[in-house]
């Protein structure tokens, strides 16, 4: 990979790379960085001009608020008011792929634009050594949506970021492939009534085990104005996506899971298996890169074999359903 592509600097995953990333952020620049879920496009959360640059680079609708990333729970509590339920989830799952939407704190420094004018704020403490080093060294919250053009598949490698945003952002901190591969699970915590706004890297079952009660809300009933990332056509590759395919049509690219072999597979173009062993965590980690690779072959369509709904399957099916939606 080139060190630089049309003006976007590729930063190495070492102390010098982190120092350069911090310097750029302090000057109001945009820096993409790896988290355990997907790459984020970071800016100083307190700098409205820098935040406006995120929306411009992504071509993102203004009303879609951003997640503030923090180095730990203490830093998070300066930004938002965590009720007992939120605290319990934070203590169990941070650092990790969980975002909590909570009422904004009086000491919050996340600018209005990043919160889309809401009186709530989305907080997340990522579990990735580079993200942690960047956040600790930067000092304040860094807002970061996934580092892709709005509506595209989220990036799980630095090369994906460059393909979408090369030349439009200052730098990418290269941390290789991300471990989880799906965005964080988002839970809104108001008045000790937690609601699932977006399924993601932590399975609903794991959250419910800690809460001791079922979580209200699912991908279909999630409150759209509150989680605009749930806009239906999202995470979309260029090719049409066809779900639950049990018969492949000629010229289709195919995404398999486990041992199932749909009829007509011999007429397919490229075939990828998210996890031959049927492991949903492995499938989640590979999903977005696989969609990108299949899309690059310019297939008639991308046919996707059925994937179970349990555990991380809920989030995988959520992303696939959005990729398949009319646009
Ligand atoms: O894993 C992730 O969460 C990645 C990495 C980079 O951290 N980030 C990510 O950000 O997926 P993004 O911008 O693609 O998705 C943020 C989601 C959107 O659905 C947005 O509507 C929701 O968070 N959100 C942000 N602030 C909110 C708020 N105050 N109330 C409700 N939803 C909010
Ligand atoms: Mg996104």
């Amino acid at each position: 990979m080139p060190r630089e592509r049309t003006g976007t600097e590729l930063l190495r995953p070492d102390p010098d790379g982190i120092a350069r990333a911090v310097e750029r952020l302090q000057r109001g620049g945009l820096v993409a960085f790896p988290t355990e879920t997907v790459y984020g496009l970071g800016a100083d959360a307190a700098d409205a001009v820098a935040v406006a640059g995120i929306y411009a680079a992504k071509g993102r609708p203004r009303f879609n608020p951003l997640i503030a990333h923090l180095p730990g729970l203490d830093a998070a509590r300066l930004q938002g008011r965590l009720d007992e339920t939120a605290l319990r989830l934070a203590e169990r799952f941070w650092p990790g792929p969980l975002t909590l939407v909570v009422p904004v704190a009086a000491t919050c420094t996340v600018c209005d634009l990043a919160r889309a004018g809401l009186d709530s704020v989305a907080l997340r403490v990522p579990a990735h050594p580079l993200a942690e080093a960047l956040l600790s060294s930067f000092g304040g919250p860094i807002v970061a949506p996934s580092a892709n053009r709005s509506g595209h598949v989220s990036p799980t490698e630095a090369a994906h970021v460059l393909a979408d945003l090369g030349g439009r952002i200052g730098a990418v901190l290269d941390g290789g492939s991300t471990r989880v591969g799906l965005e964080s699970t988002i839970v809104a915590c108001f008045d000790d009534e937690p609601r699932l706004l977006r399924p993601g890297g932590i399975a609903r079952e794991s959250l419910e085990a800690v809460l001791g009660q079922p979580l209200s809300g699912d991908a279909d009933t999630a409150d759209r104005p509150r989680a605009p990332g749930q806009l239906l056509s999202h995470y979309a590759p260029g090719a049409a996506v066809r779900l639950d395919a049990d018969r492949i049509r000629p010229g289709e690219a195919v995404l398999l899971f486990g041992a199932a072999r749909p009829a007509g597979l011999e007429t397919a173009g490229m075939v990828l298996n998210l996890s031959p062993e049927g492991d949903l965590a492995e499938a989640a980690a590979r999903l977005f890169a696989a969609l990108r690779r299949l899309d690059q072959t310019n297939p008639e369509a991308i046919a996707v074999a059925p994937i179970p709904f349990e555990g991380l399957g809920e989030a995988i099916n959520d992303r696939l359903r959005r990729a398949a939606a009319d646009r």
Side-chain angles (χ1 to χ4, degrees):
M1 201 189 303
R3 247 190 75 66
E4 206 162 303
R5 170 148 153 185
T6 49
T8 296
E9 191 185 5
L10 189 64
L11 298 172
R12 280 190 308 268
D14 59 20
D16 178 61
I18 288 162
R20 283 165 186 260
V22 168
E23 205 177 289
R24 282 187 180 271
L25 290 170
Q26 283 166 343
R27 291 203 312 261
L30 303 182
V31 177
F33 63 96
T35 77
E36 78 279 34
T37 59
V38 301
Y39 276 73
L41 178 58
D44 178 354
D47 181 343
V49 176
V51 171
I54 288 184
Y55 293 103
K58 282 186 63 97
R60 170 175 227 180
R62 287 273 151 127
F63 53 77
N64 207 348
L66 305 176
I67 297 172
H69 296 67
L70 301 141
L73 179 56
D74 291 343
R77 295 185 80 171
L78 289 173
Q79 305 300 328
R81 302 202 307 272
L82 280 68
D83 62 16
E84 237 175 80
T85 310
L87 269 179
R88 196 157 2 126
L89 292 175
E91 277 163 3
R92 171 63 185 78
F93 294 107
W94 281 353
L98 173 68
T99 293
L100 296 173
V101 173
V102 300
V104 70
T107 49
C108 182
T109 55
V110 179
C111 67
D112 273 354
L113 179 60
R115 289 186 290 106
L118 299 171
D119 53 9
S120 57
V121 63
L123 305 174
R124 157 156 148 72
V125 177
H128 188 292
L130 289 174
E132 290 181 45
L134 184 67
L135 289 162
S136 306
S137 170
F138 182 69
I142 296 176
V143 282
S146 51
N148 52 278
R149 296 296 297 269
S150 189
H152 284 194
V153 174
S154 295
T156 56
E157 297 172 18
H160 300 164
V161 178
L162 288 173
D164 263 29
L165 299 174
R168 305 175 72 94
I169 63 175
V172 185
L173 190 56
D174 188 357
S177 294
T178 61
R179 175 172 57 82
V180 176
L182 288 176
E183 297 86 347
S184 60
T185 299
I186 305 181
V187 178
C189 291
F190 297 90
D191 307 319
D192 286 307
E193 274 176 31
R195 283 186 310 123
L196 183 65
L197 296 185
R198 177 177 77 182
I202 292 180
R204 169 198 291 277
E205 293 88 331
S206 308
L207 295 164
E208 290 177 343
V210 169
L211 294 170
Q213 65 179 72
L215 255 184
S216 69
D218 58 41
D220 293 318
T221 61
D223 177 349
R224 296 245 164 104
R226 271 208 163 140
Q230 298 301 88
L231 290 172
L232 197 60
S233 173
H234 209 72
Y235 309 100
V241 175
R242 197 164 69 79
L243 301 182
D244 294 324
D246 54 6
R247 168 167 281 282
I248 305 306
R249 302 171 189 157
E252 283 185 326
V254 183
L255 199 53
L256 296 176
F257 175 82
R261 292 293 172 270
L265 201 55
E266 64 288 348
T267 67
M270 183 183 275
V271 179
L272 295 177
N273 195 323
L274 289 174
S275 173
E277 287 78 41
D279 176 342
L280 287 164
E282 180 180 47
R286 290 182 174 168
L287 176 67
F288 290 143
L291 285 173
R292 277 180 190 264
R293 276 190 65 196
L294 295 176
D295 200 26
Q296 278 162 6
T297 66
N298 280 321
E300 291 292 316
I302 299 175
V304 185
I307 294 174
F309 274 82
E310 81 244 17
L312 291 182
E314 182 178 12
I316 295 172
N317 280 294
D318 171 76
R319 302 305 188 270
L320 285 169
R321 193 166 54 82
R322 287 169 208 293
D326 281 339
R327 47 184 185 270

